[in-house]
Amino acid sequence: MRSIMQKVEVLKTIAHPVRIRILEELLKGVKCVSDFEDFLEISQPNVSQHLSLLRRQGLIDHYMDGRLRCYFLKDPIIPDLLEILKKDYIEELPAPACCPVTKKGTYPGTRHR
Amino acid sequence: MRSIMQKVEVLKTIAHPVRIRILEELLKGVKCVSDFEDFLEISQPNVSQHLSLLRRQGLIDHYMDGRLRCYFLKDPIIPDLLEILKKDYIEELPAPACCPVTKKGTYPGTRHR
DNA sequence: TGCAAATATAATAATATTTGCATATATTAA
DNA sequence: TTAATATATGCAAATATTATTATATTTGCA
């Protein structure tokens, strides 16, 4: 099981527009740095920076393909997370029945919304 | 569908040790502020701060129960995300066959690991 | 009415993150 | 060997996040 801090690390690592797009792209298959450079329209050093953060966190890995570096997904949590983020949720969660007992005792409650 | 930026917002909001613990606790049921104060052993303003961020992002909501504020989960993505974070993954993802064609052409590749 | 409990808000200070830019390194091709 | 391509690294400026302290608001009750 991941510790709380490991969970936080994974989430923080993914929580960036460029990195989400990199991961979504890697879900489709292997890509090299210059592929991302075109696709994301950001500078090469910036692409490398994001890739190397993702790699440090163990979320992706790469192999050498001549002079290209081919990146691919490594941590199995990624496809699952991306799928949930893509999913359409229609309904909110059911609001709990009013009013469960809390530490301080129960009062007649009025719903906020 | 959530936009990229909405995905980033959700992830960033969850990516904090205190907020993960708040959400995990709310998964079990309704809790009021002072419950969290004891449970998390942080100051009341700090609890309120995290709760109000979670509420601003639409992840939780509350109702009044006398002078208590009872918080509960609202966004249905939360239980799904928490479940995935809890899950134990044994194996890494299978490494892709070496070497798919990339934009720049294919070279005889050597695996990095 | 007025007080106390529960909670929220605001301002601040400390810290962490992100970004852009310049430069360094490594490999290959000519 | 040199030029070109691919990638990595270091650093400073801009920005964001966090915890803390002080203060405000709301509610129930005496």
Side-chain angles (χ1 to χ4, degrees):
Chain A
M1 238 263 264
R2 281 173 225 255
S3 70
I4 290 266
M5 285 321 284
Q6 286 171 329
K7 294 176 185 178
V8 169
E9 283 312 305
V10 172
L11 293 172
K12 282 172 88 165
T13 304
I14 305 176
H16 187 287
V18 166
R19 293 195 291 271
I20 286 194
R21 293 178 70 201
I22 287 177
L23 292 173
E24 283 177 345
E25 204 55 25
L26 287 180
L27 196 59
K28 301 181 198 158
V30 174
K31 290 276 179 313
C32 72
V33 179
S34 54
D35 291 329
F36 288 118
E37 209 175 328
D38 300 348
F39 168 65
L40 299 168
E41 298 187 316
I42 59 177
S43 70
Q44 173 274 314
N46 202 357
V47 173
S48 276
Q49 219 167 251
H50 290 297
L51 287 172
S52 90
L53 175 58
L54 289 167
R55 192 158 46 81
R56 267 203 308 287
Q57 300 294 334
L59 303 187
I60 65 176
D61 199 359
H62 73 271
Y63 58 81
M64 301 300 296
D65 185 5
R67 48 182 142 166
L68 305 179
R69 240 163 239 244
C70 297
Y71 284 89
F72 55 89
L73 292 184
K74 177 170 149 191
D75 190 323
I77 202 175
I78 300 300
D80 286 357
L81 282 177
L82 292 178
E83 191 188 351
I84 282 183
L85 288 171
K86 198 172 54 190
K87 198 164 143 191
D88 258 325
Y89 294 90
I90 328 277
E91 303 265 327
E92 287 180 5
L93 290 172
C98 182
C99 306
V101 177
T102 62
K103 185 190 150 217
K104 309 289 181 177
T106 295
Y107 298 77
T110 49
R111 277 229 186 266
H112 171 248
R113 21 154 289 122
Chain B
M1 237 265 263
R2 280 172 225 256
S3 71
I4 291 267
M5 285 322 283
Q6 287 171 329
K7 294 177 184 178
V8 169
E9 283 311 306
V10 171
L11 293 171
K12 283 173 84 169
T13 304
I14 305 176
H16 186 287
V18 166
R19 293 194 291 271
I20 287 192
R21 293 179 70 202
I22 287 177
L23 293 173
E24 284 177 346
E25 204 54 25
L26 287 181
L27 197 58
K28 301 182 197 157
V30 174
K31 290 277 180 310
C32 72
V33 179
S34 54
D35 292 329
F36 287 119
E37 209 177 326
D38 299 350
F39 169 64
L40 298 168
E41 296 186 317
I42 60 177
S43 71
Q44 173 272 313
N46 202 359
V47 173
S48 275
Q49 213 169 255
H50 289 297
L51 287 172
S52 92
L53 175 59
L54 290 167
R55 192 159 45 82
R56 266 203 307 287
Q57 300 294 334
L59 303 186
I60 65 177
D61 200 358
H62 73 272
Y63 57 81
M64 301 299 297
D65 185 5
R67 42 185 141 173
L68 303 179
R69 243 162 235 240
C70 296
Y71 283 88
F72 55 89
L73 292 183
K74 177 171 148 189
D75 190 323
I77 202 175
I78 300 301
D80 286 358
L81 282 177
L82 293 178
E83 190 187 352
I84 283 184
L85 288 171
K86 198 171 56 191
K87 199 165 144 191
D88 259 325
Y89 294 89
I90 329 278
E91 303 264 329
E92 287 180 4
L93 290 172
C98 182
C99 309
V101 177
T102 62
K103 183 189 148 218
K104 310 287 182 179
T106 296
Y107 296 78
T110 50
R111 272 221 193 273
H112 170 248
R113 22 154 289 121

